[in-house]
Amino acid sequence: MKISCENLEAAYGKNIVLKGFNVSFPENAISTVIGPSGSGKSTLLRLLAALEDPDGGTIFYDGQSHCDLHPTEVRERVGMIFQKPTIFEGTVMDNLTFGLRLRKREIVRDEIAATLKQVDIPVEYLDKRGDELSIGEQQRICIVRSLLLDPEVILLDEPVSALDPQRANRVLKLIKSLKTDFAKTVIM
């Protein structure tokens, strides 16, 4: 999916975060948004994920204006992984199947196991409690949870900012594989 923004605007009260912002993110590529703290990177990702509405301008998803799409339709096509991993109470399996259950999709343990293997998480982790995992493992579980929903685009908000260099390297390799192995558009 190709995403582009025209004259995008966003503000929090009187604090203008984005004004007249124009960008185009190519399909099946990894794009990186760079800027200092507070420059609107996270806001942009939240807008692209339809978690917030822009104050002005237009976001296009494969040429369709965000105004013509219901937010849930966008959210089915765009996955968002936050800076701090969001792990739910329960086991890793509970965490991975949360979205599948919400969308009433079939839960195929073999598919989950194969995806875990691709991100270097042992299948035995399915029965572990999510809160027992390291931050790097939690971040990879969040990525797997998104992959199981098969979005066309994956948005990552500073996915390695809280990780040590070794764990950051693992997550960065996984992000690279999102494009090559999973044919996803990645914006981070």
Side-chain angles (χ1 to χ4, degrees):
M1 174 195 307
K2 183 178 178 184
I3 298 179
S4 59
C5 305
E6 288 183 8
N7 296 313
L8 201 60
E9 295 184 5
Y12 298 103
K14 292 183 180 182
N15 182 25
I16 297 171
V17 182
L18 298 171
K19 183 174 182 175
F21 186 77
N22 297 296
V23 68
S24 182
F25 297 104
E27 191 171 17
N28 297 326
I30 297 174
S31 300
T32 307
V33 180
I34 300 173
S37 181
S39 63
K41 301 179 302 292
S42 295
T43 298
L44 174 64
L45 294 175
R46 291 180 64 77
L47 293 169
L48 297 178
L51 299 175
E52 296 178 13
D53 291 322
D55 294 316
T58 309
I59 302 170
F60 294 97
Y61 302 90
D62 281 338
Q64 279 191 283
S65 167
H66 73 278
C67 298
D68 299 331
L69 298 168
H70 193 278
T72 55
E73 184 179 350
V74 173
R75 292 177 197 140
E76 286 180 2
R77 298 175 69 192
V78 178
M80 175 82 178
I81 289 96
F82 297 94
Q83 183 175 1
K84 183 178 179 226
T86 306
I87 295 294
F88 307 118
E89 193 174 308
T91 65
V92 168
M93 183 67 160
D94 294 335
N95 272 271
L96 294 176
T97 58
F98 181 81
L100 295 170
R101 290 190 312 266
L102 278 179
R103 293 190 184 165
K104 296 178 177 36
R105 290 195 186 167
E106 184 179 5
I107 297 170
V108 181
R109 190 175 175 95
D110 290 344
E111 180 185 338
I112 292 169
T115 307
L116 280 176
K117 187 176 180 181
Q118 285 181 289
V119 301
D120 200 27
I121 298 270
V123 176
E124 296 78 31
Y125 275 43
L126 286 173
D127 297 320
K128 269 187 142 182
R129 292 190 45 77
D131 58 6
E132 294 174 355
L133 305 178
S134 72
I135 296 294
E137 290 168 335
Q138 289 180 3
Q139 192 69 288
R140 287 183 284 155
I141 292 300
C142 291
I143 292 170
V144 170
R145 185 172 56 213
S146 185
L147 285 172
L148 290 171
L149 295 172
D150 197 28
E152 297 169 54
V153 176
I154 296 184
L155 307 173
L156 297 117
D157 189 3
E158 298 188 41
V160 297
S161 65
L163 303 179
D164 63 56
Q166 183 181 10
R167 289 187 178 115
N169 226 6
R170 276 186 167 169
V171 172
L172 290 172
K173 284 180 185 174
L174 171 57
I175 291 167
K176 186 176 180 185
S177 79
L178 294 175
K179 177 192 168 287
T180 54
D181 299 343
F182 295 98
K184 302 294 179 193
T185 300
V186 179
I187 303 170
M188 53 188 257

